[in-house]
Amino acid sequence: MAAATQALLSLFAASLPTKHRSLTIRASKPATTNPPIAGRKLRAAVIGAGPAGSSAAEALAAGGVETFLFERSGPSAAKPCGGAIPLCMLDEFDIPRHLIDRHVTRMRIFSPSNLAVDFGKTLRPDEFIAMLRREVLDSFLRSRAQSRGADLISALVTDLEVPTSKDAPYVVRYISNNSQKALAVDVVIGADGANSRVAKSIKAGGYACAIAFQERIKLTDDKMEYYEDLAEMYVGNDVSPDFYAWVFPKCDHVAVGTGTVCSKQDIKVFQRGIRARANSKISGGKVIKVEAHPIPEHPRPTRVRGRVALVGDAAGYVTKCSGEGIYFAAKSGRLCGQAIVKASEGGHRMINEGDLRREYLKEWDAKYITTFRFLDLLQKVFYGSDAAREALVELCGDEYVQRMTFESYLYKRLADGNRWEDAKMFCNTIGSLMRCNILGKKMESLKL
């Protein structure tokens, strides 16, 4: 998970944000001379009501924009997701504590050879990783957007008609209650996931996708007690050739899953691999739900076109190496919604592509794009072979690595490091990679 790998980013970059923004929006004069809207407010359609879409809709409605939030799935539907969120998100997005299923304070990481390292020694008493169910979080965020004034429409969006003239409306075509309907709007936010219909409508370009597969397994009380405050992460070619597998605790069950980009056709083989690795702890459990979903691997080539912006998975905002997406989805949605409110002066003016690029895309890239690029690099370094994965787990046993990891992950800011310790960590990284690579080659020769 993110907390197990993101620490190494501190070796290379200081690009994580250092402060949070309040949802309170202060409208200011836009840099462009946008025409005022007579007799009504700016109308926005948000397609998709996950963390990205609901956060965008909340910001828009709270800022004075007439907002329509489209959601296809039912209240209990959610994509397969580990469900871990950083501590800072609880306060930044006002997430009630009662939504949290588990307060994870220990992360146990298993190498390909089953070397286990406990991760979490440096956590303070008030620090933890919040584990929750996506259907619970999504429902809460969706309801809050409604309470701020967003109009929730339960419907399947079938098409987005892109206007041919500058200020003509976009037309959202959808099916609701078995009837075909249409809605004309001024601006559209696509928050409709990796297979985004909005992205296709604006020809935003494709991207590589991983597939995530997860089983929810209900365990007996004594077995659930083992996972009271513990989450597990497994690496190795048997569970994924380019990612990791997980066992994450929920309220009365565990989520057991894996993911891959390069071997999607073998995803069930890897799922059997993680079940075999964790068998002693999950045997006898009852599978209560099976889930699979595509996960983007990098930002799309185009994330803004005309008066349409993409956020969350639709934009490709899932970090490689860690697979973290919930925080970045909610953050991108809120940032985009705030950008539209600012550029439209609280919904009183029309906006244009330049406004979205300046107020949303430029701000987002300045905060996070370097983080995404470096985590991409780390995945290539540490997930390329079992030898590299052994080195990763070995490094995770270092308390300095753990402290830097959790500071970066929990608070989305660069931890205050020590130059001498950073240098030692860098040398240890190189040493571990070299040592494990040598051992890996020896093991391969023995197999031959």
Side-chain angles (χ1 to χ4, degrees):
M1 68 181 298
T5 52
Q6 191 167 347
L8 296 173
L9 182 62
S10 62
L11 287 172
F12 307 107
S15 58
L16 294 176
T18 57
K19 62 181 180 179
H20 304 142
R21 290 186 179 181
S22 167
L23 184 59
T24 303
I25 302 168
R26 298 180 184 277
S28 60
K29 290 186 179 180
T32 56
T33 56
N34 294 329
I37 300 174
R40 64 177 179 87
K41 288 290 194 76
L42 187 79
R43 303 183 93 201
V46 182
I47 315 300
S54 293
S55 297
E58 181 186 1
L60 287 166
V65 174
E66 188 178 3
T67 306
F68 300 90
L69 177 60
F70 287 84
E71 175 57 19
R72 174 186 179 181
S73 303
S76 62
K79 74 174 188 179
C81 177
I85 63 173
L87 194 59
C88 66
M89 186 174 177
L90 298 176
D91 291 330
E92 187 175 352
F93 287 85
D94 297 320
I95 307 298
R97 298 305 198 263
H98 71 265
L99 299 185
I100 301 171
D101 285 335
R102 301 281 172 172
H103 295 66
V104 169
T105 56
R106 294 182 298 140
M107 171 69 62
R108 188 161 292 157
I109 307 168
F110 293 86
S111 76
S113 64
N114 267 338
L115 169 70
V117 168
D118 281 342
F119 207 85
K121 302 172 186 175
T122 63
L123 285 177
R124 297 193 300 266
D126 61 338
E127 291 181 326
F128 58 91
I129 299 170
M131 290 285 178
L132 39 67
R133 287 160 289 164
R134 273 292 303 273
E135 61 269 27
V136 173
L137 175 65
D138 291 9
S139 178
F140 168 76
L141 293 175
R142 191 181 305 129
S143 296
R144 190 166 68 183
Q146 283 185 276
S147 71
R148 294 295 179 97
D151 186 358
L152 180 64
I153 301 175
S154 296
L156 169 64
V157 173
T158 57
D159 189 34
L160 174 65
E161 290 185 10
V162 179
T164 55
S165 58
K166 182 181 178 182
D167 294 326
Y170 290 83
V171 178
V172 180
R173 298 199 177 277
Y174 61 98
I175 298 174
S176 180
N177 296 323
N178 297 319
S179 298
Q180 294 188 356
K181 301 180 181 181
L183 177 70
V185 295
D186 303 303
V187 60
V188 177
I189 295 179
D192 48 341
N195 294 324
S196 172
R197 191 178 296 275
V198 175
K200 292 182 178 71
S201 297
I202 64 170
K203 297 179 173 59
Y207 48 23
C209 275
I211 184 171
F213 188 95
Q214 177 174 275
E215 295 172 301
R216 300 198 193 193
I217 301 177
K218 190 173 180 63
L219 304 178
T220 58
D221 290 343
D222 59 319
K223 290 199 170 184
M224 277 304 301
E225 188 176 347
Y226 172 80
Y227 289 107
E228 176 66 28
D229 59 357
L230 172 70
E232 293 179 331
M233 168 182 166
Y234 295 78
V235 291
N237 279 327
D238 58 330
V239 297
S240 176
D242 54 354
F243 204 54
Y244 64 88
W246 61 87
V247 180
F248 289 169
K250 306 298 179 182
C251 57
D252 60 353
H253 64 275
V254 290
V256 182
T258 184
T260 180
V261 178
C262 67
S263 298
K264 299 184 185 73
Q265 71 278 7
D266 296 322
I267 188 65
K268 289 189 177 180
V269 174
F270 302 134
Q271 182 66 13
R272 288 196 293 271
I274 174 56
R275 291 195 62 159
R277 292 274 293 273
N279 181 62
S280 63
K281 291 159 285 190
I282 65 172
S283 62
K286 179 182 178 181
V287 177
I288 58 176
K289 193 172 186 180
V290 179
E291 306 161 303
H293 202 275
I295 306 294
E297 279 292 290
H298 58 79
R300 283 191 190 271
T302 299
R303 289 165 285 154
V304 167
R305 176 162 286 159
R307 286 171 277 124
V308 179
L310 303 176
V311 296
D313 283 12
Y317 295 152
V318 176
T319 59
K320 277 195 174 183
C321 195
S322 66
E324 183 182 7
I326 299 176
Y327 175 82
F328 292 112
K331 189 70 174 180
S332 64
R334 175 177 285 185
L335 186 62
C336 187
Q338 290 174 333
I340 292 169
V341 170
K342 180 180 178 181
S344 67
E345 293 188 345
H348 293 288
R349 290 182 178 273
M350 184 60 67
I351 69 165
N352 58 42
E353 181 176 322
D355 296 322
L356 288 172
R357 290 189 176 278
R358 181 185 65 253
E359 302 294 348
Y360 161 53
L361 208 55
K362 186 177 179 181
E363 288 287 322
W364 174 266
D365 286 352
K367 285 177 176 291
Y368 301 113
I369 202 66
T370 303
T371 298
F372 277 69
R373 288 171 178 167
F374 277 115
L375 287 173
D376 186 3
L377 171 64
L378 291 181
Q379 183 177 39
K380 292 174 182 176
V381 171
F382 287 107
Y383 286 178
S385 68
D386 273 353
R389 296 181 190 106
E390 290 285 351
L392 172 64
V393 175
E394 183 179 280
L395 285 168
C396 286
D398 184 276
E399 289 195 13
Y400 182 72
V401 171
Q402 294 193 20
R403 183 173 73 81
M404 296 295 285
T405 295
F406 279 112
E407 280 290 311
S408 298
Y409 173 72
L410 293 178
Y411 303 107
K412 289 294 173 284
R413 63 171 182 246
L414 188 70
D416 293 328
N418 177 287
R419 289 187 178 182
W420 172 243
E421 292 291 340
D422 287 343
K424 284 172 58 180
M425 184 163 65
F426 181 77
C427 292
N428 289 340
T429 301
I430 301 301
S432 292
L433 285 168
M434 292 177 64
R435 181 167 55 257
C436 290
N437 189 50
I438 292 170
L439 289 174
K441 288 181 178 179
K442 287 183 177 179
M443 293 298 293
E444 286 298 319
S445 67
L446 290 175
K447 290 178 184 178
L448 295 175

